[in-house]
Amino acid sequence: MPARSLSAVPDDGGGGKSTPEQLMERVARADEPAFAELYDAFSARVFGLARRVVRDPSQAEDVAQEVFLEIWRRATRFDAKKGSATAWILTLTHARSVDRVRSAQAALERDTKVASRSTERDVDTVVETVESNIERTNVRRCLSTLTELQRESVGLAYYSGYTYAEVARVLGAPLPTIKTRLRDGLIRLRDCLGVNS
């Protein structure tokens, strides 16, 4: 597949178009035309990422709709100092897609358990839930120890499925810098989580 530019909206170089960050600023002020422009710029990428994660096209459409609803509601929380609008939108898309997959898996597991009238004790389920929550908390804590570039790079490469070259384009950083940040970030995560190499 040929590489394509990852810039969602052309820069406002006199052509009347706004950057994603400018659009987010306007959306935060409930500017509907800005939201429409943001939607036009990102809808295909949001749907594409959701489709890669959830696989089912109708589920991906639902996820995309939820993402844009959340962008509209949470635009005031976007902070350009913490990262690009593109990274924020794609991270949000990935998170909602994973939530949808987990929800579907949980529903399937519940149905399977009810159907088979499993003899598994409730205590085992509680222990698994507690362990899973502890793992998530530890990962979040360790991610917070990374630099912003490391955190964005890891998120895009390992949660959103971008290649290193795509991560470099999205973040506007040289490829060698991204590779170094990813390597350093993963080493830091490994050490923080106490994973043996």
Side-chain angles (χ1 to χ4, degrees):
M1 181 167 139
R4 62 184 181 89
S5 172
L6 291 177
S7 61
V9 181
D11 195 53
D12 190 13
K17 295 285 187 181
S18 300
T19 66
E21 289 72 21
Q22 290 167 333
L23 290 173
M24 286 298 297
E25 228 176 84
R26 290 170 47 204
V27 170
R29 295 189 304 264
D31 182 330
E32 290 182 20
F35 182 73
E37 194 175 333
L38 190 75
Y39 179 86
D40 290 343
F42 282 93
S43 59
R45 290 176 64 191
V46 166
F47 175 75
L49 176 56
R51 174 90 192 263
R52 280 194 311 203
V53 176
V54 301
R55 308 267 184 211
D56 180 327
S58 64
Q59 292 285 333
E61 287 176 8
D62 289 346
V63 169
Q65 190 174 24
E66 289 170 12
V67 166
F68 281 102
L69 182 60
E70 192 160 354
I71 289 170
W72 178 254
R73 290 179 176 163
R74 294 180 53 197
T76 56
R77 295 183 188 175
F78 170 70
D79 183 355
K81 294 175 193 155
K82 293 184 178 178
S84 70
T86 300
W88 189 78
I89 291 168
L90 295 178
T91 300
L92 181 63
T93 302
H94 185 265
R96 291 300 148 261
S97 300
V98 170
D99 288 347
R100 179 61 63 106
V101 169
R102 287 182 178 152
S103 176
Q105 287 174 339
L108 180 63
E109 288 172 9
R110 277 194 304 272
D111 291 347
T112 303
K113 284 181 182 179
V114 168
S116 67
R117 299 193 186 272
S118 173
T119 57
E120 182 180 328
R121 296 185 335 206
D122 289 340
V123 174
D124 293 339
T125 305
V126 170
V127 168
E128 287 174 11
T129 302
V130 169
E131 287 174 349
S132 177
N133 287 340
I134 289 171
E135 286 174 11
R136 271 196 299 273
T137 301
N138 285 340
V139 169
R140 281 192 199 108
R141 178 182 52 80
C142 290
L143 279 170
S144 71
T145 67
L146 302 181
T147 67
E148 187 63 34
L149 186 56
Q150 287 172 337
R151 195 168 34 255
E152 280 188 331
S153 300
V154 168
L156 289 171
Y158 293 96
Y159 292 107
S160 298
Y162 283 92
T163 65
Y164 287 6
E166 289 172 331
V167 172
R169 279 195 298 272
V170 167
L171 297 180
L175 181 58
T177 300
I178 292 300
K179 287 181 177 179
T180 301
R181 294 302 179 264
L182 278 164
R183 186 194 70 235
D184 294 347
L186 292 174
I187 289 170
R188 212 176 201 176
L189 281 174
R190 182 197 67 202
D191 293 345
C192 180
L193 291 168
V195 177
N196 296 322
S197 47

